[in-house]
Amino acid sequence: MAFTQGVSGLNAASSQLDTIGHNIANSQTVGFKKSRTEFADLYAGAKAGLGVQVSAITQGFSQGALETTDRDLDLAIQGGGFFRLTDGQQVTYSRNGQFQMDSNGFLVNNTGGKLTGYPVDDPTSANPVVLAGAQPVAIQVAQGDLDASATTSGSMTFNLNSTDTAKVDTNGNAIAFDATNPKSYNWQTSLTTYDSQGNAQQVNMYFVKSATADNSWTVHALNKGNEVGTSNLTFNENGKITGGDTLNLSFNPNNGAANINANIDLANVTQNSGSFVVKAAGQNGYAAGSLTGISIADNGDVMGKYSNNQSRALGRVALASFTNEQGLKPDGNNAWVATTNSGQELLGSAGTGQLGSLLSQTLESSNVDLASELVTMIVAQRNYQANAQTIKTQDQILQTMVSLR
């Protein structure tokens, strides 16, 4: 019987050494998760026992070290979850975030598996919405240009000098506003807007201090010499705006594009001591732009970056988790497939529920501890030698019995 016990021990120790060797071989594999050989004794009604068997090879899904890189498409999951990949036939799961964009705009790993995620409702929209509840699809980055968008709103923040005086002539009469006459206005600035074809339309703004009312100004907006909007600004004794806080622009760019109708928010304009200074100015229009690159946000949003300084969500990386990660079946190429033991995939966005956050320009290293594996290998080797010794001892006993006279 000792032969059977010894052989079972040799087989078990050999299996453990195989597992350790596999771990060591993949100590530099991105996203690799180490395994462990677990044993159970064999009795089958025998008092002395029949030896040992490999009861399971379990996987350890502990977090690997995070290392920064210089690639926008390198991703790491900090916390729970797996990347969800498809080759068109089978869905696999991985912690390896080494992605690249193929010739068709799909985000793929080194074996061609396509990263899946949630699509957006309208990729051509100025403000696409991610459909986080939809079925994940292979993420594809559209290579077309981003269409131009006309200005419809904007805002400006500036301070008007409270010590300024009205522009009057030698007789004390207010000088009529004339954009070509600098003596008819106190200050001037400009705001670039865009028409529906993406052409820049310069709007020049002139500020005239009232000659008849304290704390009152008139702003004249001109495009190509034509007045396209006006607003009367009033302030209280503390310099806070009390009226005219919206400048309505309306004009025809006269180039075949649609009329521009935009509301410029002036709610943060003040009238205090000090020089006229524009602190902030912006609007929501832009010219057409071509794709210059992509990046991935912490929540998994795939953001397209365009030459017109715009960015748009093109989709969102979907992460998957499982009730029983140990039930996942290794499928090679650093990936797993779901089984009945793992349960169905539980999908979600990064940072929700038990799913970790996503880090771009980062990779998760193997969670193999080389020092620990080498120590375990020494123990497994001694175990193998010890079991071999039991077989040798049993052989000597049998030889002694055969030699009896």
Side-chain angles (χ1 to χ4, degrees):
M1 185 177 293
F3 282 119
T4 302
Q5 296 163 338
V7 170
S8 70
L10 290 176
N11 290 333
S14 178
S15 179
Q16 184 181 21
L17 287 169
D18 289 342
T19 302
I20 295 169
H22 183 65
N23 289 343
I24 293 175
N26 286 281
S27 62
Q28 299 302 309
T29 302
V30 173
F32 177 79
K33 299 302 177 184
K34 64 183 179 181
S35 300
R36 181 181 68 187
T37 304
E38 297 180 354
F39 306 114
D41 54 6
L42 283 172
Y43 270 88
K47 292 183 178 181
L50 300 177
V52 65
Q53 63 178 339
V54 176
S55 61
I57 296 179
T58 59
Q59 302 168 88
F61 289 97
S62 61
Q63 180 80 50
L66 300 178
E67 298 181 358
T68 57
T69 70
D70 59 356
R71 295 184 67 254
D72 289 335
L73 294 184
D74 281 345
L75 292 178
I77 303 174
Q78 186 174 31
F82 298 84
F83 297 112
R84 186 180 185 274
L85 305 164
T86 181
D87 60 3
Q89 303 294 326
Q90 184 182 48
V91 174
T92 58
Y93 307 90
S94 178
R95 295 278 295 196
N96 186 343
Q98 295 174 304
F99 297 109
Q100 55 192 312
M101 188 162 59
D102 68 10
S103 59
N104 295 316
F106 289 102
L107 300 186
V108 298
N109 64 7
N110 293 329
T111 60
K114 298 175 181 177
L115 181 65
T116 65
Y118 302 113
V120 294
D121 58 346
D122 182 5
T124 63
S125 170
N127 295 293
V129 177
V130 175
L131 303 176
Q135 178 65 22
V137 297
I139 297 175
Q140 185 176 24
V141 177
Q143 300 299 302
D145 291 347
L146 182 66
D147 292 338
S149 179
T151 299
T152 59
S153 64
S155 64
M156 297 187 72
T157 301
F158 52 84
N159 179 67
L160 294 168
N161 192 343
S162 60
T163 62
D164 279 347
T165 58
K167 297 296 183 176
V168 296
D169 58 21
T170 56
N171 297 320
N173 299 317
I175 301 175
F177 168 70
D178 181 357
T180 62
N181 180 13
K183 294 182 178 181
S184 68
Y185 55 86
N186 298 79
W187 302 102
Q188 182 269 335
T189 189
S190 62
L191 177 69
T192 301
T193 63
Y194 291 89
D195 61 32
S196 59
Q197 295 179 352
N199 300 303
Q201 298 292 336
Q202 196 80 0
V203 176
N204 297 311
M205 299 181 183
Y206 302 85
F207 303 92
V208 180
K209 183 70 177 288
S210 174
T212 59
D214 293 333
N215 301 327
S216 180
W217 296 70
T218 299
V219 54
H220 299 270
L222 279 71
N223 170 256
K224 300 174 182 176
N226 300 313
E227 189 159 296
V228 297
T230 184
S231 182
N232 294 317
L233 310 179
T234 58
F235 301 87
N236 62 18
E237 61 274 13
N238 295 317
K240 304 297 182 182
I241 194 166
T242 58
D245 58 359
T246 301
L247 174 62
N248 298 312
L249 303 178
S250 180
F251 62 97
N252 185 345
N254 294 315
N255 60 359
N259 288 352
I260 292 178
N261 294 286
N263 298 322
I264 308 302
D265 184 4
L266 304 177
N268 292 320
V269 172
T270 58
Q271 180 194 246
N272 293 313
S273 61
S275 299
F276 171 79
V277 57
V278 178
K279 301 176 182 178
Q283 49 78 50
N284 65 346
Y286 48 83
S290 56
L291 185 70
T292 59
I294 61 174
S295 62
I296 301 179
D298 290 349
N299 67 345
D301 281 355
V302 179
M303 305 298 296
K305 296 181 288 186
Y306 296 86
S307 58
N308 55 3
N309 295 321
Q310 299 297 309
S311 61
R312 290 289 179 272
L314 306 175
R316 179 180 295 171
V317 176
L319 298 184
S321 64
F322 296 87
T323 304
N324 176 26
E325 292 180 339
Q326 294 297 328
L328 292 172
K329 177 185 175 183
D331 192 50
N333 293 319
N334 211 10
W336 295 266
V337 294
T339 67
T340 55
N341 289 332
S342 67
Q344 293 185 345
E345 61 180 10
L346 305 174
L347 299 174
S349 300
T352 63
Q354 298 181 357
L355 297 173
S357 59
L358 279 179
L359 302 177
S360 63
Q361 295 188 333
T362 308
L363 290 174
E364 180 187 7
S365 301
S366 168
N367 67 349
V368 173
D369 183 343
L370 271 177
S372 176
E373 293 297 323
L374 291 173
V375 170
T376 304
M377 182 174 64
I378 293 173
V379 174
Q381 182 181 12
R382 294 294 179 263
N383 182 29
Y384 190 95
Q385 291 172 338
N387 280 282
Q389 187 64 37
T390 64
I391 295 176
K392 180 179 179 180
T393 301
Q394 183 67 15
D395 177 59
Q396 291 174 342
I397 292 173
L398 287 177
Q399 184 64 36
T400 302
M401 293 177 62
V402 170
S403 300
L404 288 176
R405 296 290 187 269

